[in-house]
Amino acid sequence: MQKIIVTGDLGFIGSNIADFFSSKYDVLIVDDLNKPKKNINRSILSKNKIISRDFFISNLNKFIDYNCIIHAGACSDTTNYDENYMINNNFEYSKKIIDFSVKNKINFIFSSSASVYGNGINGFSIES
């Protein structure tokens, strides 16, 4: 069975991604388990394994046998002005996972949000 890691699973989008794939794949859920308001989505994911984001990022080499990482874990709060938090949570965390995926030839899917593009008044394009 294929093994997938989904980050940000306790949020709305991540929990639905994990729920969708859990019938066909072995899904590992990664999120910040210290945020009680996220427990609302935990019932959806009861059939999957859940680990903390801190454990995951500190032990990446334990996950080299996974086939894909779907990264939906980031702060999308456009009113959060804590620069250190945003750099560590959204940039550094993502960069470590991307580097790990590339190094180990693990498929990587990144979920973006409106917090990246704003209201689109100036438009945007995605180039590969």
Side-chain angles (χ1 to χ4, degrees):
M1 179 178 274
Q2 297 257 337
K3 296 169 72 173
I4 297 175
I5 295 170
V6 182
T7 69
D9 295 69
L10 299 181
F12 177 75
I13 294 171
S15 64
N16 281 285
I17 290 170
D19 191 44
F20 176 81
F21 285 110
S22 64
S23 64
K24 296 180 183 181
Y25 303 99
D26 181 8
V27 176
L28 176 66
I29 293 165
V30 177
D31 209 324
D32 181 354
L33 303 178
N34 296 316
K35 296 191 175 181
K37 72 178 187 176
K38 289 187 173 184
N39 290 340
I40 230 167
N41 296 317
R42 208 172 277 200
S43 61
I44 297 170
L45 308 169
S46 60
K47 58 189 166 214
N48 300 301
K49 292 174 272 185
I50 302 172
I51 63 169
S52 75
R53 184 187 71 174
D54 292 337
F55 178 83
F56 174 61
I57 206 69
S58 297
N59 296 279
L60 281 173
N61 287 329
K62 292 185 178 194
F63 305 100
I64 59 172
D65 61 334
Y66 280 78
N67 306 94
C68 182
I69 298 174
I70 301 172
H71 183 44
C75 179
S76 60
D77 180 357
T78 58
T79 62
N80 186 330
Y81 295 104
D82 182 340
E83 184 177 333
N84 288 330
Y85 174 79
M86 296 302 275
I87 292 291
N88 288 325
N89 189 66
N90 290 5
F91 177 73
E92 293 295 338
Y93 177 55
S94 299
K95 184 178 178 296
K96 286 178 186 174
I97 299 170
I98 291 167
D99 289 345
F100 168 75
S101 297
V102 170
K103 177 182 172 187
N104 294 287
K105 297 183 171 123
I106 298 170
N107 293 320
F108 184 85
I109 300 169
F110 176 73
S111 174
S112 189
S113 74
S115 65
V116 173
Y117 305 109
N119 64 9
I121 196 166
N122 296 318
F124 61 89
S125 66
I126 299 174
E127 298 176 23
S128 54

